[in-house]
């Protein structure tokens, strides 16, 4: 074959390959990411007292991980960072990831357990300080702020249960100043059924960002009552916070996105539902009822709360979150 013909044939093959790749990209379901990347996240493991006092020297370096799914689209995209609860990353997280990716929103799912040698902490919450996951979220923010496909002004934090607690308190100005070295803040905070039983110094001084809490009325793992009290304090301080409460919705009600419609006991899981915890001097968490340092051996700690899904309220909450993000991110 003459050289010119070989060149022409090569060009035709390359064009055909490009057209095929384009056709495959166009035929992807909208909830499928255009690309998936796995990131090591340098973080720290420390006690709550070390976190509250800003004691970086005492922390143990650890590497956790994040899965970044780049949504279909071009340019710098918005991102939702998702933080798991006491059982680690679960299948319900995937339901949220698919929903956001379908909207053209990328997702960054943090695994704060595997790198620390943990799988679950529900039966022994003392295995990991309750504030560690906040550091993981800030370290993820550092990674995303530099990524060429991320709009750093449109990164939202969303978390569930223990991760919802981390999401809620990651909004505190004090914690951002102590631990957030990214140079930016999350654009909003979306905690699902968080534990609001702890009062921290300056906890009504939160960033000028919206906080949207979703909770269930019969939740006996992290009761909504303490969250209502915190929300009232935040509102009195002029903060942008909304609590959406769903009846007949147990802890983990958004597992209804997977069709789960039953409620069961979370066997031997610890709950602080009857505890009143306050930050004392030197960053020591105190049991406000006993005036002694709080531990998970305190008599206020109980076992066997309920968890379960509600497909109806799960769908309602997904719609509410999607509409909130559409407005916040100014999506078409």
């Amino acid at each position: 074959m003459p050289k010119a013909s070989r060149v022409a044939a090569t060009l035709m093959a390359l064009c055909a390959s490009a057209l095929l790749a384009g056709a495959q990209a166009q035929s992807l379901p909208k909830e499928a990411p255009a690309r998936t990347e796995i990131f090591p996240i340098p973080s720290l493991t420390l006690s709550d007292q070390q976190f509250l006092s800003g004691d970086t020297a005492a922390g143990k370096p650890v590497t956790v991980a994040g899965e970044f799914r780049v949504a279909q689209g071009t340019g710098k995209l918005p991102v939702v960072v998702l933080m798991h609860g006491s059982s680690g990353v679960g299948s319900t997280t995937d339901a949220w990831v698919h929903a956001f990716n379908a909207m053209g929103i990328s997702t960054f799912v943090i695994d704060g357990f595997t790198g620390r040698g943990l799988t679950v902490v529900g039966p022994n919450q003392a295995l990991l300080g309750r504030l560690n996951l906040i550091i993981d979220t800030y370290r993820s923010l550092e990674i995303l702020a530099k990524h060429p496909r991320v709009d750093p002004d449109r990164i939202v934090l969303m978390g569930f249960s223990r991760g919802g607690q981390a999401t809620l308190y990651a909004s505190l100005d004090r914690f951002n100043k102590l631990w957030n070295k990214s140079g930016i803040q999350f654009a909003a905070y979306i905690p699902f059924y968080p534990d609001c039983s702890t009062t921290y110094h300056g906890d009504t001084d939160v960033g000028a960002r919206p906080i949207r809490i979703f909770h269930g009325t019969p939740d006996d793992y992290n009761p909504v009552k303490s969250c209502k009290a915190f929300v009232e304090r935040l509102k009195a301080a002029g903060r942008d916070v909304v609590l959406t409460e769903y009846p007949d919705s147990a802890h983990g009600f958004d597992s209804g996105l997977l069709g789960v419609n039953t409620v069961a006991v979370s066997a031997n899981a610890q709950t602080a539902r009857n505890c009143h915890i306050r930050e004392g001097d030197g960053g020591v968490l105190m049991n406000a009822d006993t005036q002694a340092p709080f531990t998970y051996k305190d008599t206020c700690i109980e076992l066997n709360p309920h968890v379960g899904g509600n497909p109806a309220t799960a769908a309602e909450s997904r719609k509410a979150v999607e509409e909130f993000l559409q407005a916040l991110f100014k999506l078409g």
Side-chain angles (χ1 to χ4, degrees):
M1 181 183 293
K3 181 178 180 181
S5 298
R6 291 199 303 272
V7 171
T10 301
L11 288 173
M12 289 178 64
L14 288 172
C15 288
S17 177
L19 287 170
L20 178 61
Q24 289 175 335
Q26 291 174 2
S27 64
L28 281 175
K30 61 181 181 178
E31 68 271 14
R35 177 179 172 81
T36 300
E37 301 173 354
I38 306 298
F39 283 89
I41 307 169
S43 192
L44 292 170
T45 299
L46 30 64
S47 70
D48 292 331
Q49 184 177 6
Q50 290 165 345
F51 177 98
L52 292 167
S53 60
D55 188 358
T56 58
K60 178 184 177 182
V62 66
T63 299
V64 296
E67 182 196 62
F68 183 39
R69 297 190 189 184
V70 183
Q72 297 176 48
T74 59
K76 293 179 179 290
L77 300 175
V79 181
V80 174
V81 175
L82 297 110
M83 177 52 81
H84 61 78
S86 295
S87 296
V89 180
S91 52
T92 305
T93 304
D94 279 341
W96 285 106
V97 166
H98 292 156
F100 296 144
N101 289 166
M103 297 173 66
I105 301 170
S106 300
T107 51
F108 192 91
V109 176
I110 301 171
D111 175 5
F113 279 2
T114 305
R116 293 185 169 99
L118 301 170
T119 52
V120 298
V121 299
N124 185 3
Q125 294 284 358
L127 287 172
L128 185 66
R130 56 177 49 213
L131 300 170
N132 278 268
L133 299 184
I134 296 178
I135 296 181
D136 297 348
T137 68
Y138 291 157
R139 294 295 176 88
S140 299
L141 196 57
E142 290 183 47
I143 292 169
L144 293 170
K146 301 172 185 175
H147 197 287
R149 294 300 312 280
V150 173
D151 182 347
D153 295 323
R154 294 192 295 166
I155 306 174
V156 161
L157 180 58
M158 180 178 186
F160 309 87
S161 193
R162 181 184 261 250
Q165 172 184 268
T167 297
L168 179 60
Y169 294 111
S171 66
L172 269 62
D173 286 339
R174 173 186 165 207
F175 294 170
N176 273 278
K177 289 174 183 175
L178 278 175
W179 297 105
N180 182 3
K181 309 304 179 185
S182 69
I184 60 173
Q185 283 195 35
F186 288 106
Y189 302 87
I190 307 177
F192 266 63
Y193 34 87
D195 175 8
C196 305
S197 62
T198 304
T199 302
Y200 297 100
H201 293 160
D203 61 7
T204 57
D205 294 326
V206 298
R209 305 288 192 274
I211 299 171
R212 298 294 181 265
I213 305 171
F214 295 85
H215 224 306
T217 304
D219 192 321
D220 64 354
Y221 205 139
N222 295 332
V224 70
K225 181 180 178 181
S226 60
C227 290
K228 284 181 174 180
F230 184 38
V231 165
E232 289 307 310
R233 291 197 295 117
L234 288 170
K235 286 182 175 179
R239 311 308 178 195
D240 181 1
V241 57
V242 176
L243 169 61
T244 302
E245 182 180 349
Y246 296 108
D248 304 321
S249 297
H251 194 77
F253 66 86
D254 58 320
S255 63
L257 295 175
L258 302 174
V260 176
N261 62 359
T262 56
V263 177
V265 170
S266 182
N268 298 316
Q270 294 177 318
T271 167
R273 62 190 173 206
N274 291 319
C275 298
H276 304 95
I277 308 167
R278 292 184 177 276
E279 181 183 353
D281 295 337
V284 177
L285 291 181
M286 305 292 292
N287 184 321
D289 297 324
T290 65
Q291 298 302 311
F294 168 79
T295 76
Y296 280 99
K297 295 180 180 180
D298 286 1
T299 56
C300 65
I301 295 295
E302 297 185 3
L303 303 179
N304 302 320
H306 294 80
V307 297
N310 183 320
T313 55
E316 286 182 40
S317 66
R318 180 176 59 189
K319 181 181 178 183
V321 170
E322 288 174 345
E323 289 177 349
F324 171 71
L325 292 177
Q326 280 181 327
L328 181 74
F329 290 153
K330 296 180 171 59
L331 301 179

